[in-house]
Amino acid sequence: MAVETTATHRVHGGTLRYCKHASASTGTPMKFTVWTPEGEGPFPYLVWLSGLTCTEDNFTVKSGVYAYAAKHGVAIVAPDTSPRGEGVADDPAYDLGQGAGFYVDATQAPWAPHFQMYSYVTKDLLEAVDGAFPLDPARRGIFGHSMGGHGALTIALRNPDLFKSVSAFSPIVSPLNCPWGDKAMTAYLGEDRAAWRAHDACALIEDGAGASFDEILIDQGLADSFLENQLKPELIESAAEKAGRKVTVRRQDGYDHSYFFITTFIGDHLEWHAKRLG
């Protein structure tokens, strides 16, 4: 799968590349960034999934991740959140359509032709980066924020053969039980809520998915305006307790939903993943 590098930057001793490639899953060009440490590799790496309204650029510019990635020798891949372009369905609301792919494979019109983000992340993206860069697919983890936290959790739980570790910041843990989930899953997957379970981290844990993960790490700000209505971390704690699984939710006093929160604790997540990726 051909990958075009559109820009290159030297960052913390490593190389950051802005890239694009053609995706068979979405039927569109897709963009991502990849940062690789100094050296020949192959490197362990983390895939970061961003939240609503974001592109591949938000985490790349705002997170401060690369200093910690350099310390631990871990590469970082950050894709866009949805297909884009002429002929791609969209919605005027921020929480549906372009910038709001929710990391599912849509089955409903008008979204189904292009909004295949689950397949994109688990197939096209991984094939592209593994083929073009010195990355070790046997030492791959995933993490994300908000909608991307939901994506990271559900994709990892369903694909423990692809990912050795998973963590999240402020994730939507249960689309079955929040307004964001009701709106997006109805639009993309239809009215049958049984079809949503494969994209709900709490339901997946209840159903026994991803039992090989020794722990799931979640950071949640207590000043997050979405905490009570949309995020509800207590639901994944309850599901984990019932299933005998280890999910660690760290509640951080005074922190909100922004990248100020992410950049404060991103170093902890890099260290946590690095121990599991070896």
Side-chain angles (χ1 to χ4, degrees), residues 74-118:
V74 175
I76 305 290
V77 173
D80 199 355
T81 56
S82 78
R84 302 178 192 270
E86 187 176 349
V88 176
D90 201 6
D91 189 276
Y94 78 96
D95 54 359
L96 194 67
Q98 295 184 36
F102 271 83
Y103 305 102
V104 304
D105 283 352
T107 59
Q108 306 298 303
W111 312 107
H114 300 295
F115 280 74
Q116 303 291 312
M117 287 300 294
Y118 174 85

Side-chain angles (χ1 to χ4, degrees), residues 50-254:
S50 287
L52 290 166
T53 76
C54 290
T55 69
E56 75 286 353
D57 204 35
N58 298 71
F59 182 75
T60 300
V61 172
K62 295 180 178 181
S63 69
V65 69
Y66 302 119
Y68 302 104
K71 176 182 177 180
H72 295 289
V74 175
I76 305 290
V77 173
D80 199 355
T81 56
S82 78
R84 302 178 192 270
E86 187 176 349
V88 176
D90 201 6
D91 189 276
Y94 78 96
D95 54 359
L96 194 67
Q98 295 184 36
F102 271 83
Y103 305 102
V104 304
D105 283 352
T107 59
Q108 306 298 303
W111 312 107
H114 300 295
F115 280 74
Q116 303 291 312
M117 287 300 294
Y118 174 85
S119 289
Y120 172 70
V121 172
T122 59
K123 296 177 183 177
D124 297 8
L125 176 67
L126 300 186
E127 290 176 4
V129 299
D130 288 347
F133 305 103
L135 307 179
D136 184 353
R139 295 185 292 161
R140 181 198 295 134
I142 190 168
F143 60 158
H145 172 236
S146 195
M147 176 186 74
H150 141 78
L153 292 172
T154 55
I155 286 172
L157 288 167
R158 291 178 62 180
N159 297 277
D161 55 323
L162 295 180
F163 301 97
K164 290 187 67 176
S165 59
V166 56
S167 73
F169 291 82
S170 319
I172 302 167
V173 301
S174 185
L176 281 161
N177 292 286
C178 73
W180 276 338
D182 285 341
K183 181 176 182 177
M185 297 301 158
T186 301
Y188 295 141
L189 302 177
E191 298 285 349
D192 181 7
R193 293 171 69 88
W196 303 9
R197 289 188 69 85
H199 299 286
D200 184 296
C202 295
L204 287 166
I205 288 173
E206 290 171 0
D207 294 343
S212 60
F213 292 107
D214 68 320
E215 182 182 10
I216 294 172
L217 174 64
I218 293 173
D219 267 305
Q220 173 63 60
L222 291 180
D224 190 323
S225 60
F226 302 113
L227 175 58
E228 294 184 5
N229 194 38
Q230 302 281 12
L231 306 179
K232 305 180 181 181
E234 67 277 3
L235 295 181
I236 198 168
E237 289 175 310
S238 177
E241 184 178 3
K242 291 177 183 177
R245 303 277 286 277
K246 186 177 183 182
V247 174
T248 300
V249 178
R250 306 195 312 179
R251 289 169 170 82
Q252 307 292 2
D253 189 39

